[in-house]
Amino acid sequence: MRLDPIDQRIIALLQEDARSSYAEIGERVALSAPAVKRRVDRLRSSGVIRGYTALVDPGAVGWTTEAFVELFCTGRTSPAQLKAAALRHPAVVGAYTISGEADALVHLRAMDMSGLEEALEKLRAEPFVTSTRSMIVLSRLVETLAPRIVQDVGTAKGSPAS
Amino acid sequence: MRLDPIDQRIIALLQEDARSSYAEIGERVALSAPAVKRRVDRLRSSGVIRGYTALVDPGAVGWTTEAFVELFCTGRTSPAQLKAAALRHPAVVGAYTISGEADALVHLRAMDMSGLEEALEKLRAEPFVTSTRSMIVLSRLVETLAPRIVQDVGTAKGSPAS
DNA sequence: GATGAAAAGACTAGATT
DNA sequence: AATCTAGTCTTTTCATC
């Protein structure tokens, strides 16, 4: 799907505040509210915008412990298999197949250290996991929950505009 | 700040769809719309809800390449120093101090491999970085952009409710 | 094909009970 | 916390470019 500059600005505005009104957005992109709504509807149905979410302070809701775990797997473990396993474990908030020594990297979040330990234990019990290497998060320095949109299409070379 | 079960359900509903109306939420938690708004306002001003954002498919906006990079730093590099550096680099979408061999883990997102390379190069140029170890993401299997809320306070032991 | 204008219905936000 | 009310927003329809 092709995104024109107005689409991009609308997406950026919705990333900043997903609850802003169409009228508000329209004001900033010089379009009427219905026109904005039509574009947003199209962006949603085409999958560019997957949804809207509230950004919640993990600590405030009791989610204080997290870790990144490198997974070493048996010979031929498929990404689909890994994905299915990741989805089975509710503590998994991110999972990626990666290059390098390990086969996958899993991002775990738990309420406390014992919860993390329990989640890790369950993960290690997966039949295809041969070993793991854990990196416990000591402090979260930065976390951009939504991918920032490219502001300058074609000119940017790997660095998102602020 | 204390969250009662209704607060938690409201948060969960807003995480599912940050654009749902107060009336809609009120229906599902058996409260009037104004009552829901008051609670949401309180959650926002107390910092439990930090904001609302649109979830955008990174690929759809040209953000196709990512990596996790372990940072090895000089003797005494402070978390504050790391954080400041991370914020200077727009490709950094996540940064954590960690236990284990490395001192920090940085999550990078770029438009393509050359963008990633460039971002990595800049990161390595930071004076406190002695070496790095990169894990290029081959495929994103799972990514829960918002931390899931605990549904059963006190009973859950490290695993978020679905 | 996309935009703007207008109208009906729904929602928000503040005051009151 | 619910109700009420005025003002605003959303959403559909329709005409226009």
Side-chain angles (χ1 to χ4, degrees), chain B residues 87-117:
Chain B
L87 289 172
R88 269 200 303 279
H89 299 272
V92 173
V93 296
Y96 314 85
T97 56
I98 56 172
S99 73
E101 283 179 70
D103 300 297
L105 183 68
V106 170
H107 185 183
L108 295 177
R109 233 194 281 265
M111 294 190 62
D112 50 33
M113 207 43 93
S114 82
L116 194 61
E117 193 176 9

Side-chain angles (χ1 to χ4, degrees), chain B residues 21-23 37:
Chain B
S21 70
Y22 297 134
K37 184 192 185 310

